Amino acid sequence: MKGESAASDDDVASEILSHYSSASDTTSVLEEGTGGEQVDEQTAQEETEDKLKQCIDNLMDKSSKTRLAALESLRQAFSSRLLDDFLTERRLTVSDCLERSLKKGSGEEQAAAATVFALLCIQLGGGDEAEEGFKMLRPILTAILIDSTASIAARQSCARSLGMCCYVSAAEDGEDLIKSLALLESVFMSSYPNREGTLPTPKPGSSGLHSAALQAWSLLVTLCPASRLTVLLHLHLPKLQACLQSSDVNYRIAVGETIALLVELGRDLDEDFEVDDSESLCESLKSLATDGNKHRAKNDRRKQRSIFREVLHYIENEDFTEEKIRFGVENVYIDGWMRRRIYDAFKEILESGVRHHLQLCSVSHHSKNLQF
């Protein structure tokens, strides 16, 4: 999917890069107050790196509490600063520590380690180092994701990490992309209707896991070549339409957004692309866009109606409501479902630090042909 959209994506990346060339000035979450005294940049950098080194050392501590605290500190630091030079030298050490936490830690520690690993890949910027780390930790992330006895929180975090790390580090590796797509499919396809068309009764926590896997999968779908995308559209669109009747509001929303994304990608391939049984799809979307079920929480109803109005409007009119993301005095425009999925995926991992890392991602885009 690197046709006409590639040029416009470069424009978005350039907008971000022009404003955030000074992102490294951001104060690290690890830096303590200095009582109003000015600390020169080099000293501040050294202090920050010393604290990061201590956090990395703490990942090997015998105490799970200490390891969890270190993972949280690293998550905050990796989210709020560009540390690629510092981490490039220590990537193997950090990867080894994260692998240990993933293999031997509690569910909470596994979830935290998977998130930190995704941040590490983003920090490394899609180069050979990130790809090396992904190949190293992918087996253990995979093992946790498909382990039905593992913590749901850990499995969700592993799904998001697999999607992001594959997107960032292995976009040009067709084999990694296909394997990751298939793995994520194996998770959320258990929510698909059976041969009689009946949706399975979800197990506790499974809807959240299915949502995480579906969103990670849809991020990777944006990288698929036309031949692969055609197959995915034919296989998944009809099944996803049925999942709009899911009992979980967040999963319904994830399904609706994925349907819109797939239709957009289908229309990019073929301007005459049409959804099978589009009338039935639009009826389902209209029902969700006007849902007044009092048994659902008010905020859930409001969120669902808002999202499905957008999806329905796009399906019927091929029109996307452009979203303006403000960064200081600059704006970035999200003008399609593909860009929204990519932006949302980075925002979910980076949280409030997303604006600082869009600079890094834009540089990676030019060097590794990423799409944002």
Side-chain angles (χ1 to χ4, degrees):
M1 298 306 302
K2 297 182 173 63
E4 294 182 4
S5 63
S8 57
D9 288 337
D10 281 337
D11 292 340
V12 173
S14 296
E15 290 176 33
I16 298 164
L17 183 59
S18 66
H19 183 65
Y20 286 98
S21 59
S22 59
S24 60
D25 293 337
T26 306
T27 302
S28 168
V29 294
L30 294 181
E31 292 179 17
E32 300 172 354
T34 58
E37 297 179 6
Q38 294 295 318
V39 180
D40 68 84
E41 185 176 345
Q42 183 177 353
T43 301
Q45 182 71 16
E46 290 173 354
E47 290 179 355
T48 298
E49 292 188 0
D50 286 342
K51 292 171 185 176
L52 284 169
K53 291 173 186 176
Q54 184 60 56
C55 286
I56 294 170
D57 288 342
N58 287 348
L59 292 178
M60 295 176 274
D61 197 272
K62 291 182 179 180
S63 167
S64 61
K65 185 177 180 180
T66 299
R67 295 195 303 272
L68 275 170
L71 286 167
E72 174 59 18
S73 292
L74 290 176
R75 184 194 67 78
Q76 292 184 35
F78 290 6
S79 297
S80 62
R81 284 184 72 92
L82 302 182
L83 300 163
D84 46 317
D85 289 339
F86 174 84
L87 288 171
T88 296
E89 299 176 4
R90 296 166 179 83
R91 68 187 188 283
L92 295 179
T93 300
V94 176
S95 295
D96 283 341
C97 293
L98 295 177
E99 182 178 28
R100 188 178 298 108
S101 288
L102 287 165
K103 286 182 175 179
K104 300 181 179 181
S106 64
E108 184 181 6
E109 185 174 340
Q110 288 176 323
T115 297
V116 172
F117 179 59
L119 290 166
L120 175 63
C121 284
I122 292 172
Q123 285 278 355
L124 295 175
D128 292 340
E129 295 85 359
E131 186 172 348
E132 180 184 358
F134 179 54
K135 290 183 182 298
M136 175 182 170
L137 290 193
R138 186 180 63 186
I140 183 62
L141 292 172
T142 298
I144 295 171
L145 177 58
I146 63 177
D147 182 0
S148 61
T149 66
S151 154
I152 286 290
R155 295 176 72 189
Q156 287 181 219
S157 188
C158 286
R160 287 190 288 267
S161 183
L162 274 165
M164 178 57 70
C165 293
C166 183
Y167 181 87
V168 170
S169 66
E172 295 178 355
D173 189 331
E175 182 179 353
D176 276 344
L177 178 61
I178 297 305
K179 285 182 178 178
S180 297
L181 285 166
L183 175 63
L184 294 164
E185 284 174 347
S186 73
V187 176
F188 68 77
M189 283 179 67
S190 63
S191 71
Y192 280 5
N194 58 25
R195 292 181 180 179
E196 289 72 39
T198 304
L199 292 176
T201 302
K203 299 176 182 178
S206 63
S207 295
L209 175 62
H210 294 156
S211 295
L214 181 61
Q215 289 169 332
W217 177 84
S218 62
L219 174 66
L220 295 184
V221 166
T222 67
L223 298 176
C224 285
S227 57
R228 182 68 182 174
L229 184 57
T230 300
V231 173
L232 295 178
L233 290 171
H234 177 75
L235 174 63
H236 290 285
L237 267 177
K239 302 292 187 182
L240 286 170
Q241 289 182 45
C243 290
L244 289 172
Q245 307 307 318
S246 168
S247 60
D248 184 85
V249 62
N250 290 318
Y251 187 53
R252 288 197 300 273
I253 289 172
V255 168
E257 291 177 327
T258 301
I259 289 173
L261 170 66
L262 293 177
V263 172
E264 179 181 86
L265 294 174
R267 288 170 174 170
D268 285 346
L269 284 178
D270 179 0
E271 62 182 15
D272 296 322
F273 176 84
E274 292 186 7
V275 181
D276 292 338
D277 200 6
S278 60
E279 185 175 338
S280 175
L281 170 61
C282 289
E283 284 302 316
S284 294
L285 295 173
K286 286 176 184 176
S287 176
L288 292 166
T290 57
D291 186 5
N293 191 329
K294 299 298 184 182
H295 295 294
R296 297 193 177 113
K298 187 176 181 179
N299 287 341
D300 286 347
R301 294 201 308 271
R302 184 183 297 114
K303 181 180 179 182
Q304 175 182 285
R305 289 198 295 263
S306 175
I307 293 293
F308 281 102
R309 281 196 296 267
E310 289 186 70
V311 175
L312 177 63
H313 185 63
Y314 177 73
I315 298 297
E316 288 186 325
N317 303 305
E318 300 188 26
D319 186 32
F320 180 88
T321 303
E322 188 176 83
E323 181 180 2
K324 181 170 69 174
I325 308 296
R326 183 177 294 278
F327 297 102
V329 298
E330 300 289 336
N331 298 314
V332 171
Y333 294 91
I334 307 299
D335 59 0
W337 292 98
M338 184 177 80
R339 287 201 192 183
R340 177 182 283 185
R341 175 83 291 270
I342 296 168
Y343 177 79
D344 284 350
F346 278 97
K347 185 178 179 181
E348 184 175 23
I349 295 288
L350 293 163
E351 298 182 349
S352 60
V354 64
R355 64 182 185 178
H356 308 303
H357 284 270
L358 285 173
Q359 175 195 358
L360 180 62
C361 295
S362 65
V363 172
S364 298
H365 175 96
H366 295 297
S367 62
K368 294 286 287 182
N369 206 22
L370 297 184
Q371 290 190 301
F372 196 91

